[in-house]
Amino acid sequence: MTDNPTRSFIVLDRLRKEFGGVVAVNDLSLNFAKGQISALIGPNGAGKTTVFNLITGFLPPTSGSITLNGVNLSGKKPHRIASMGVGRTFQNVQVFPAMTVLENVMVGRHLRSRCGMAVSCLLPQALRPEEKRIREASMVWLEAVGLKDQADRTAGSLPLGSQRMLEIARAMALEPSVLFLDEPASGLNARETAGMGDLIVKIKAMGITIILVEHDMELVMDISDNVAVVNFGSLIAEGTPKDIQANPDVINAYLGA
Amino acid sequence: MNMKDYIGIGVLALIVAVMPFAVGNDYYLGVLVFTALNCLTCIGLCLLLGYAGQISLGHSAFVAIGAYASALLTTKLGWNPWAAMGAGIVISLVTAVLVGIPTLKLKGHYLAMATLGFASIVHVVLVAAVDITGGPSGVSGIPRLELFGLALDTDTRIFYFCWALVLVALYFAVNLIHSRVGRGLQAIHGSEDAASSLGVNITVDKIRIFALSAVFASVSGSLYSHYVLYIDPGPFDVMHSVLLITMVAVGGIHSIWGAVTGAVLLSLLPEGLSFLSEGLAQFNIQYKTDYDTLIYGAILLSIMLFLPEGLFDGIRRSFSFFSKTNTETERGQ
C-alpha cells in the first residue's frame, strides 16, 4: 500500500460481487481510515449494502480481498468476523423482538463471556459471576443510547428510532474496533436523526472507526471525515465532504446526466 | 431476575412429593408416570422450538432410540440398564448431530418436513428390521431399573424417580435460558443475521440445542422401556412427534412452563375424556373414543384462535389482569 498505515485500516482490493449476470460490486478498491467516520454513499442500488455484507461475511465475494489491519476477512463467517472486532447494524432493523431491551444488549456480550452449555445448565444465573458483569456492561451501553429506563420492555414494542439506538448499543457491547452502520437514520424524524448524529460522533470519540451508509446527506456531510461515492458498484469519487459536494461526477450520478 | 422459575420448581416438587398420597390408585399413578415422560421430552423440545425457534417433527425417533437402546442392550446383550440408558444417550446424541448438520440449515416448513422424514425412517426401521428390533412384535422381558440397590418396581417409586428427573430437567432448562448460551439461542430465533453479527455461531448452536433436546427425549424413551417392560414400534410413530409438538404449542412455546402445562394437560386429557364418557353413559349418551380426535382438534383450534401464546401465557395474563401489575413487560406488540 502506498497510503500511510492510518489510511489503510480496512482495505478493499479489487472487491467484486456478481449475482448471476448482475455485477453488484465491480472491482472496488477502497481504504477506510482508522478512528474516522467514513461514509459510503451513492444512489439506490449502487451496491453499498452489498459492500457491507461482503465485509461482515454475510456474502462471499466473487473475487478480490478484504483486510482489516492486515488480516484477511474474505471467506470468513459472520461470527468469526465479529470476533475480530467488527460490529454492524442492519438497514431493516434486526432487534430480537421477543427479548427485553436489556437482553438484546446482553447478547452483544456473547464474545466477551465464556460459560459453555454444560456450566450454563448446571449453575443458576446467580452463581455464574459473568452474568453480573454482562448485565453491568450492557446497562452502560443502554445508558449511553438513552434506553436505560426501557431496559425491561420487549424490544419489539419500541418505536423504530429506539430500535435503531438499541441495535447500536447491542453492537457496541461487542466492544468492536470498527462499527458498520447501515442507514442508521433511515425512518427517523429530524430530532431523532440529530440524536443519532450525536451518538455516532460520541462513539468516534471513543476511538472506534465508523463506516456509514446513509441517504440523509445533511447527516453525512455533518459528521463524516471522509466520503466515498459509489455507483453501479464502482467508486466514482472520494474525499472530504466539501470536495464531494463540489464534484460534478457525484452530482451527475445522483441527478442523472 | 428468574427467582419465580426456581419457586415454580419448588412448588412442583412439593406437588410431586404429596401426589402419591393424594392418588391412591396405581393406575392413575401410572398415568402420571407417562405424564412425566412426556414432560421430559417436551422440556427439551421447548428449548429447541420456543427458544431457539427450530421445529422438529423428529423427536419421536429420539424417544424410540432411547427406548430401543435400553430394551435391546439389556435383553439381548445383558447390559446393566443404566449403561444401556447411557448408550441410548450417546446414540441419540450422535444421531442428532448427524441429522442436524444437514437439516438445521433448513427453515420453517422445510425443517419440519426433513425431521418428519427422519422420524418415519426410524419408525420404518423399527418395524422392518425384524432380526434386530423384533419388528412389530417388539421386545419383551425388559428388566426394571435399580437405584442404589433399590428396585424401581412399584408405581410410587417410578413416579418419584421420573418426576425427579423432570425437576432436574427443568432446573437445567431454567439455568440455560438465563445464560449466555440461552440468550444466544433466543437471538437465533429473533434474527439469525443479527445473532451471527454479534458472534453467535448459529450453525453450531442450533446443532447443540437439537442434540440436547434429543438427549432429553432419549432418556424419556429409556425410562418408558424400563417402566412398561415391553415395547413395540407402535407408540413411536410420526404421530407421536406431532403430539409432542402439540403439547408444547398448547401450553405455549415461549415458556418452559408452557411446555410442562401442555404436556400435563394433554397426557391427562384421555383420562378426563373417559370420565366424560362414563358420565354421559348415565344419560344414555354414547361417547366413542373415536371422538377424542375431534376434541383434541377443537382444543388445539380454540387455543390457536384465542390464546396464540398458549395456555400458560393465558393463565399468567389473567392473573396479572387481576393483580393489575406487570402489564408493561407483557410479551408481544
Side-chain angles (χ1 to χ4, degrees):
Chain A
M1 288 294 124
T2 51
D3 297 288
N4 68 53
T6 55
R7 282 287 298 133
S8 47
F9 187 51
I10 295 172
V11 180
L12 312 185
D13 187 23
R14 278 165 294 149
L15 189 64
R16 186 178 186 85
K17 180 65 190 178
E18 295 170 10
F19 295 106
V22 181
V23 181
V25 179
N26 189 2
D27 295 332
L28 181 70
S29 293
L30 194 57
N31 294 348
F32 295 113
K34 190 180 174 88
Q36 293 199 342
I37 298 177
S38 305
L40 195 59
I41 63 169
N44 283 321
K48 306 176 298 284
T49 296
T50 307
V51 170
F52 268 29
N53 286 338
L54 290 170
I55 299 173
T56 51
F58 284 88
L59 288 172
T62 306
S63 64
S65 76
I66 306 154
T67 54
L68 166 71
N69 231 350
V71 183
N72 186 28
L73 293 188
S74 36
K76 292 201 164 64
K77 290 217 171 153
H79 70 268
R80 288 283 308 136
I81 291 174
S83 74
M84 296 164 82
V86 177
R88 73 166 291 176
T89 65
F90 295 85
Q91 187 178 350
N92 46 339
V93 198
Q94 307 251 358
V95 297
F96 309 123
M99 299 173 83
T100 68
V101 169
L102 176 61
E103 283 169 340
N104 262 266
V105 184
M106 287 167 84
V107 177
R109 299 300 294 172
H110 195 80
L111 291 168
R112 302 282 167 189
S113 43
R114 282 282 146 263
C115 282
M117 195 177 251
V119 178
S120 301
C121 278
L122 289 171
L123 291 181
Q125 189 176 26
L127 297 182
R128 275 177 268 127
E130 71 171 27
E131 284 294 309
K132 193 163 166 261
R133 291 198 296 272
I134 293 171
R135 184 175 293 267
E136 281 166 0
S138 304
M139 283 310 277
V140 168
W141 278 106
L142 277 187
E143 196 165 11
V145 302
L147 287 174
K148 196 182 177 187
D149 49 345
Q150 313 280 334
D152 293 327
R153 268 179 81 167
T154 51
S157 68
L158 290 179
L160 178 72
S162 305
Q163 291 196 11
R164 289 213 180 272
M165 289 292 191
L166 174 59
E167 255 198 328
I168 294 180
R170 191 178 65 183
M172 286 307 295
L174 190 74
E175 293 175 23
S177 58
V178 198
L179 184 61
F180 286 83
L181 301 174
D182 198 348
E183 300 199 19
S186 150
L188 303 194
N189 63 35
R191 197 175 52 84
E192 289 171 325
T193 304
M196 181 60 77
D198 292 344
L199 177 65
I200 295 171
V201 170
K202 205 161 84 182
I203 293 171
K204 177 200 169 185
M206 304 173 78
I208 290 156
T209 307
I210 291 165
I211 325 274
L212 182 73
V213 162
E214 183 53 62
H215 281 297
D216 185 323
M217 283 308 135
E218 202 178 320
L219 178 69
V220 168
M221 298 305 167
D222 237 25
I223 64 173
S224 307
D225 299 299
N226 198 56
V227 180
V229 189
V230 288
N231 197 16
F232 300 114
S234 305
L235 186 69
I236 58 173
E238 201 188 354
T240 62
K242 210 174 263 173
D243 297 338
I244 293 300
Q245 276 167 312
N247 188 316
D249 289 341
V250 177
I251 295 161
N252 268 347
Y254 271 92
L255 300 178
Chain B
M1 297 280 260
N2 57 332
M3 208 53 220
K4 275 186 196 163
D5 289 324
Y6 296 108
I7 294 172
I9 294 176
V11 170
L12 185 61
L14 283 178
I15 296 173
V16 168
V18 299
M19 193 55 94
F21 301 101
V23 182
N25 181 325
D26 268 1
Y27 173 74
Y28 290 116
L29 223 44
V31 172
L32 290 172
V33 169
F34 292 124
T35 306
L37 300 185
N38 284 333
C39 276
L40 201 54
T41 314
C42 285
I43 290 167
L45 202 53
C46 177
L47 287 175
L48 180 73
L49 179 67
Y51 288 89
Q54 309 300 311
I55 194 162
S56 164
L57 284 173
H59 270 56
S60 64
F62 295 118
V63 180
I65 289 172
Y68 271 85
S70 283
L72 294 173
L73 291 173
T74 51
T75 57
K76 302 219 165 160
L77 301 178
W79 283 32
N80 176 294
W82 297 108
M85 189 186 286
I89 289 173
V90 172
I91 298 169
S92 293
L93 204 65
V94 173
T95 313
V97 172
L98 291 179
V99 171
I101 288 170
T103 55
L104 289 169
K105 289 186 178 138
L106 304 170
K107 291 192 172 84
H109 302 317
Y110 299 98
L111 179 61
M113 287 306 292
T115 49
L116 183 86
F118 164 65
S120 55
I121 289 168
V122 170
H123 187 249
V124 166
V125 169
L126 295 181
V127 175
V130 182
D131 293 338
I132 304 165
T133 64
S137 48
V139 186
S140 54
I142 303 164
R144 291 184 181 280
L145 282 171
E146 233 178 68
L147 196 65
F148 308 119
L150 184 76
L152 296 178
D153 54 0
T154 66
D155 285 284
T156 315
R157 284 176 185 175
I158 295 168
F159 169 89
Y160 277 131
F161 183 68
C162 291
W163 277 98
L165 285 187
V166 171
L167 292 169
V168 170
L170 269 171
Y171 169 81
F172 282 175
V174 166
N175 290 344
L176 185 69
I177 291 162
H178 297 278
S179 76
R180 163 181 178 273
V181 179
R183 283 187 297 270
L185 294 172
Q186 293 168 70
I188 292 173
H189 193 179
S191 160
E192 293 195 3
D193 283 351
S196 57
S197 81
L198 298 168
V200 178
N201 189 340
I202 55 171
T203 320
V204 168
D205 278 8
K206 278 193 216 173
I207 292 169
R208 287 204 299 179
I209 193 66
F210 187 63
L212 183 71
S213 68
V215 167
F216 282 21
S218 175
V219 170
S220 158
S222 292
L223 293 171
Y224 177 88
S225 274
H226 291 299
Y227 175 56
V228 183
L229 308 182
Y230 160 79
I231 57 168
D232 66 64
F236 310 113
D237 61 356
V238 170
M239 279 316 289
H240 187 59
S241 284
V242 176
L243 181 64
L244 291 170
I245 289 283
T246 310
M247 286 174 177
V248 177
V250 163
I253 62 167
H254 293 298
S255 160
I256 210 80
W257 296 104
V260 173
T261 310
V264 170
L265 192 84
L266 287 193
S267 303
L268 297 182
L269 190 62
E271 301 309 317
L273 290 178
S274 75
F275 266 127
L276 178 77
S277 109
E278 280 165 30
L280 288 176
Q282 293 189 340
F283 302 99
N284 272 338
I285 304 169
Q286 251 198 329
Y287 178 90
K288 296 198 177 79
T289 44
D290 295 352
Y291 299 161
D292 283 5
T293 321
L294 211 62
I295 300 210
Y296 271 91
I299 289 176
L300 191 59
L301 199 67
S302 10
I303 285 185
M304 290 300 137
L305 274 177
F306 302 113
L307 297 169
E309 294 284 323
L311 209 56
F312 180 72
D313 188 68
I315 297 168
R316 201 174 57 92
R317 262 169 202 273
S318 51
F319 273 112
S320 57
F321 174 76
F322 287 121
S323 61
K324 296 225 178 218
T325 55
N326 208 15
T327 41
E328 178 71 358
T329 57
E330 290 292 333
R331 221 166 255 282
Q333 324 272 98

